[in-house]
């Protein structure tokens, strides 16, 4: 996790990590705890998918929508982090064409450093600034659902259960989409494994 560790620790200490969105119904300023704990992480996720220009707008809109819909947040269904990633991913979905164009453009830049070697993990290179070559092209060719699942696992390190909650899809759908995405990317990279098969299936 790359959010604000001090703010996240404070949420845990207050016992508000799960209840904070709904508790802020009566204390709107309390939502600031959620913002402080997670804004940097959500912004980074948006930047890696869409580039820095769109990241601030997506991150800001994510928290605006979260605040407006905080009465709908159900801690039994998803933790705050997965809930926010779901909102962010939906907003990123409005930029599908831009994201795919960016990936295709980076695919034309040539191989990224060490791309020809063993690609044990994809997340180290999945960024708007560093993703290049066949990996970028392979991710661009994934379906929207496959791309979302792969990048939530690779970039956000969400578990299958968290991805299912974030995207509002069945748990089994996450596994099947991730399996297809890994297979397609692995084939595009000449058989190297872009992610350890256990990644995203913890917790």
């Amino acid at each position: 996790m790359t959010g604000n560790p001090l703010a996240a620790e404070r949420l845990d200490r207050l016992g508000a990590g799960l209840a904070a969105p709904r508790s802020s119904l009566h204390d709107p300023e309390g939502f600031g705890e959620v913002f402080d704990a997670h804004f940097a992480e959500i912004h980074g996720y948006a930047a890696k998918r869409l580039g820095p220009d769109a990241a601030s707008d997506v991150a800001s809109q994510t928290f605006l929508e979260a605040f407006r819909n905080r009465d709908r947040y159900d801690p039994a269904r998803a933790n705050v982090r997965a809930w926010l990633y779901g909102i962010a991913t939906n907003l990123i979905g409005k930029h599908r064409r831009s994201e795919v164009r960016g990936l295709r453009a980076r695919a034309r830049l040539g191989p990224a450093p060490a791309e020809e070697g063993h690609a044990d993990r994809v997340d180290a290179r999945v960024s708007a600034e560093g993703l290049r070559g066949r990996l970028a092209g392979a991710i661009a060719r994934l379906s929207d659902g496959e791309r979302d699942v792969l990048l939530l696992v690779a970039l956000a390190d969400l578990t299958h259960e968290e991805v299912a909650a974030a995207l509002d899809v069945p748990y089994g759908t996450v596994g099947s989409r991730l399996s297809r995405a890994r297979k397609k990317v692995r084939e595009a990279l000449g058989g190297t494994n872009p992610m350890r098969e256990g990644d995203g299936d913890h917790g």
Side-chain angles (χ1 to χ4, degrees), residues 92-104:
I92 288 170
K94 299 178 180 179
H95 299 263
R96 294 292 188 196
R97 292 182 181 179
S98 176
E99 180 178 31
V100 171
R101 280 199 304 268
L103 287 166
R104 288 173 177 168

Side-chain angles (χ1 to χ4, degrees), residues 31 35 39 42-43 46 54-68 84 87-88 91:
F31 195 81
F35 181 93
F39 182 83
I42 296 298
H43 184 279
S56 294
D57 286 342
V58 168
S60 296
Q61 188 65 28
T62 294
F63 285 87
L64 178 60
E65 290 200 11
F67 181 79
R68 287 174 173 170
L84 292 170
I87 296 172
L91 291 169

